[in-house]
Each structure stands twice: as structure tokens, then as C-alpha cells.
Amino acid sequence: MKFLTLVFIICVLYSCKQEPKNPNFLIGNWERVNNESNKKTYEIWEKDFSGLGFSIRDKDTVFKEKLNIITKSNSQYLKVTGVHQQPTFFKIVKMTENSFICENSQNEFPKRISYWFKNNRLNAKVANNDFAIDFVFKRME
């Protein structure tokens, strides 16, 4: 009887272990629709949750960053490279089937990044305590 109780407890604990969720809604090629008129911004997300974000103004690339959803130390992070000399890690503090929020209170800007999928649009917001920038993307065909 003790053995069966132990097996039951192990099964319950194992089934309660939460596997990392995957932000499948990101996958695809996206073009920003709320951009400055002389600028184009894109995000491209692959099935391995690696992404590339870039902006073009007058045929010149004016911004570029690499994005990756990674797991380290049993937590998920958004890793951003190409903006600063060293990668910046934003810990994912909430993830649902159609959204996630990540934070890094040590980073000057942004401190918080949010992504969500709604009405066939990929939305993002980068913010600190005083300022926020909203992004709205449509899927490219």
C-alpha cells in the first residue's frame, strides 16, 4: 500500500510539472502597419523561435536585432542581440496561447516587452515606466 501511495504521489508531482509554453503565434513574416511613412519595419520568426527584426528607410537598414526565445535555468527568456554589445535577456513572466510578457528591470529601455496576437495581427509593445512604443504587424503573403 505504501508503494502505491508513493507511485501516486510521484505521478501527481510529475504531471504538475509545467513544460515551457511555445509562442507559436509569432511564426511567420510580419510587416509593421503603424510605421512612419518613409520607413518599413519587419519581423521574421522561424519555427525554432528565432527571429529577426529590422527597419529600412530609403533603402538603408537603420535598425536590426536578432531575437530568440530560449530556456535557461528552467525559465524562458527573450534574448535580444544586435542592439547593445552584449545580449539583453528579458525574462518571460507570463505566457498564454496568444501572448507573452517579458521583463528586465535593469535595462534602461525597454524594461518590458509584450507580444500578443489579436484580430489576425501581431502586436507588440516595448515600454519602461515613462514611455511606450506600440507595434502592429500584418502577416506578409
Side-chain angles (χ1 to χ4, degrees), residues 1 12 55 62-63 67 91:
M1 185 66 156
V12 167
S55 295
V62 294
F63 179 80
L67 307 157
K91 185 175 184 179

Side-chain angles (χ1 to χ4, degrees), residues 18-24 49 69 71 76 92 95-97:
Q18 215 173 12
E19 293 297 317
K21 295 180 181 176
N22 292 320
N24 293 315
F49 305 110
I69 304 289
T71 301
Q76 287 182 289
I92 296 177
M95 186 177 296
T96 69
E97 185 178 325

Side-chain angles (χ1 to χ4, degrees), residues 14-29:
Y14 183 76
S15 67
C16 290
K17 182 182 176 194
Q18 215 173 12
E19 293 297 317
K21 295 180 181 176
N22 292 320
N24 293 315
F25 66 90
L26 288 174
I27 298 169
N29 300 325

Side-chain angles (χ1 to χ4, degrees), residues 102-119:
C102 54
E103 298 176 339
N104 179 337
S105 62
Q106 303 303 308
N107 197 49
E108 185 176 340
F109 186 86
K111 292 185 181 297
R112 182 179 195 134
I113 301 173
S114 305
Y115 276 91
W116 67 98
F117 185 76
K118 185 177 180 183
N119 298 327

Side-chain angles (χ1 to χ4, degrees), residues 8-96:
F8 176 75
I9 290 171
I10 290 171
C11 288
V12 167
L13 290 174
Y14 183 76
S15 67
C16 290
K17 182 182 176 194
Q18 215 173 12
E19 293 297 317
K21 295 180 181 176
N22 292 320
N24 293 315
F25 66 90
L26 288 174
I27 298 169
N29 300 325
W30 303 93
E31 180 179 5
R32 187 174 179 192
V33 297
N34 65 331
N35 228 350
E36 300 166 27
S37 61
N38 63 342
K39 187 171 157 186
K40 298 265 187 189
T41 300
Y42 304 93
E43 282 197 12
I44 299 167
W45 285 92
E46 302 292 334
K47 291 180 183 178
D48 64 355
F49 305 110
S50 63
L52 176 66
F54 60 97
S55 295
I56 299 171
R57 178 179 282 131
D58 299 324
K59 299 182 183 180
D60 290 323
T61 302
V62 294
F63 179 80
K64 182 179 173 184
E65 65 184 353
K66 291 182 182 178
L67 307 157
N68 294 89
I69 304 289
I70 63 165
T71 301
K72 70 176 191 172
S73 303
N74 295 323
S75 295
Q76 287 182 289
Y77 291 84
L78 174 64
K79 177 183 173 186
V80 180
T81 55
V83 179
H84 302 292
Q85 278 189 319
Q86 298 297 319
T88 306
F89 294 88
F90 295 85
K91 185 175 184 179
I92 296 177
V93 296
K94 181 179 181 184
M95 186 177 296
T96 69

